[in-house]
Amino acid sequence: MIFRHPCAFIRWSFLLGLLLFGAEASAAPVDLSVRDWSIEAVERLAARGLCEGLGLGLRPATRDWVARRVAEAIQTIEEKDLNLSSEMAYQIEEDLLRLSETFAPELRALGVAEAGERGEARRPGQPFQWKEAMFGTMLVGEKFLTSFDRQNSTSLIENSQGLRLKDGFNGRGTLPSWLSLGDWFAATFNPGLRGSEEDSDIDLDLEEASAKLAYWNLELKGGLLNFWWGPGYHGDLLLTNNPRPLRAFSLRTLRGFRLPWKLEKLGKWEAQLIGARLEEKRTVKESFLTGTRFEWSPTRRLVVGASHLALFGGEGEEEGFIDFLNALDPTEGGATEERANHLFGADLRIFLAELARWIKVGSGLELYGEFFGEDTKGIYIPEFVSYLGGFLITDLFSWPGLDFRFEGVRVHKNAYEHFVHTSGHRFKNEFLGHHAGPDSDDFFFRLSQVFDVLGKRVVAGFQFDRERRGISGEALQFGQSALAKNEVQVDFLYEFSDKVDLIFAYQFEDVNNFRGSTGIDSHNHIFSLKTVFRF
């Protein structure tokens, strides 16, 4: 029998039912980067009650997904009296104009004919079109100047595809590009260069590359992929783009849908199945990572998510197709009876725009929370849990363009580890989940303000992060000591022209017991300049 437990059969049947019940055909949408600016813009729209938030925890998002949220926000503004001040209404209008210009072809396909039309000519950043083919590209250059107390050290730039900086000058250049053909094929490719003053060699490889086929409401995608599962901003518990992209495939719904018959009253759903092959340099070489994620939105104000990952197979382990199917069954447990490592998480987002305006804290409010557990016995009951929570307030205290976010996380001391797969929930030494790692906590807040300076858009940001590892007081791996890091950053985005954005940032790190070495502290300075050139 393929499935060892009846509930595994039920779970697979439920997954396949969700994937196949998309009742409306859709085009093959092009993927955005996991942390594209437009996803944050859509999240602010959802916090303000202008569009639904379904799909925010299933990244990467697509151009079509963003366009549908923008169209919904435009319709909401036209149909409802939001009772906003003229200043806040102007700010929302500017956000929607910027989005509608970037995603004009998709919006026009949705019937928003006037989208992005400041003129008839194609604007920089919009795709090139020829019949049913569309193509888009940009050039991104990043230059870093770092000053570390410990010159042989490196500093990880969290959630940036495994980017580690060395002391001195560092650089990265990428050419993110995409192509779509009709309603059935899309591809993304992002060649990149990385190098530092200390190294004479420059690394040239693909930061990301994928191809997808679409039919009905399904897409099948493969290549070098990044994933982000959950509601977190500064990190997430199960999957992030903290490491380099995975050799992976994905089968998912293209957009939210309703179940047939009377079940449509339950709300909208989205689902995804993934599989990935990990690196060779592990305790179990080239093990597999597989998992599923579901999102359910009974109302526009609420999104509930559930995720399950399993690490299994590899050299010396069973890894046939049947083992792949059974690895997706969380009822197998994750203690000594089960050689696969199971991680299960659940999360929710609540959007409370009306409450925010009533108590006058801002124009919008989003609350979110997440937990995950692993190492279980029998029916899935986690023996320990890690958790994350946070909130976003838009236009704080009715100050137009001022957003405030807070996020906290506590990761259990046994998280991301396993008695067989002792390399843990990592890829190329970086955590697949939250960058803080096990036995840690992390507290983060960010303030950002949008300005209009001589007709140019400027975004100023200030953020603070405190991260601690070894908080339980128990011994860490490899004899390391407990670590504490305080990090302060200021950043500015300046829209120099229609074609060019400039982003400057300064980051200061104060690290106690640097790299887990007792009594060794470090004060790190990181200056960066990022240039985005839109063709």
Side-chain angles (χ1 to χ4, degrees), residues 221-233:
K221 177 175 63 175
L224 296 174
L225 309 180
N226 287 303
F227 301 100
W228 189 292
W229 280 4
Y233 174 86

Side-chain angles (χ1 to χ4, degrees), residues 252-271:
R252 65 166 292 178
T253 51
L254 284 168
R255 62 175 184 269
F257 59 90
R258 295 181 183 273
L259 296 173
W261 307 300
K262 295 183 179 180
L263 296 177
E264 67 178 3
K265 296 180 180 179
L266 292 176
K268 288 187 176 182
W269 300 81
E270 286 201 13

Side-chain angles (χ1 to χ4, degrees), residues 100-244:
S100 63
E101 287 180 345
T102 302
F103 299 93
E106 292 81 5
L107 285 165
R108 286 195 291 268
L110 294 172
V112 186
E114 69 278 8
E117 294 296 336
R118 286 183 176 176
E120 294 182 359
R122 174 190 165 275
R123 298 181 61 80
Q126 293 179 356
F128 299 92
Q129 293 181 266
W130 183 72
K131 296 184 178 179
E132 292 188 351
M134 287 200 299
F135 173 77
T137 188
M138 65 176 62
L139 178 64
V140 181
E142 295 175 273
K143 193 69 174 179
F144 302 89
L145 173 61
T146 62
S147 175
F148 299 154
D149 285 352
R150 309 292 164 184
Q151 293 187 355
N152 293 325
S153 66
T154 61
S155 180
L156 174 70
I157 304 299
E158 300 95 345
N159 307 318
S160 189
Q161 298 181 318
L163 179 62
R164 282 191 171 270
L165 304 180
K166 298 182 179 181
D167 190 52
F169 284 100
N170 301 258
R172 178 167 70 171
T174 59
L175 189 70
S177 308
W178 59 268
L179 168 71
S180 68
L181 298 175
D183 60 358
W184 62 277
F185 176 81
T188 58
F189 37 98
N190 188 9
L193 293 171
R194 298 188 185 197
S196 67
E197 180 184 42
E198 187 175 301
D199 297 328
S200 58
D201 295 333
I202 296 177
D203 295 330
L204 169 63
D205 62 7
L206 287 172
E207 297 280 332
E208 195 171 2
S210 68
K212 70 167 67 172
L213 296 172
Y215 178 73
W216 211 241
N217 195 32
L218 286 178
E219 67 166 35
L220 176 63
K221 177 175 63 175
L224 296 174
L225 309 180
N226 287 303
F227 301 100
W228 189 292
W229 280 4
Y233 174 86
H234 186 57
D236 226 300
L237 294 176
L238 291 182
L239 282 178
T240 66
N241 69 329
N242 191 53
R244 299 299 292 263

Side-chain angles (χ1 to χ4, degrees), residues 253-301:
T253 51
L254 284 168
R255 62 175 184 269
F257 59 90
R258 295 181 183 273
L259 296 173
W261 307 300
K262 295 183 179 180
L263 296 177
E264 67 178 3
K265 296 180 180 179
L266 292 176
K268 288 187 176 182
W269 300 81
E270 286 201 13
Q272 183 176 30
L273 163 69
I274 68 166
R277 188 78 151 178
L278 301 185
E279 76 274 29
E280 183 178 358
K281 295 181 179 179
R282 301 177 62 88
T283 52
V284 180
K285 296 180 180 180
E286 295 193 320
S287 48
F288 282 99
L289 180 74
T290 186
T292 52
R293 176 168 171 82
F294 303 94
E295 285 200 4
W296 170 51
S297 180
T299 72
R300 198 164 75 170
R301 292 182 175 85

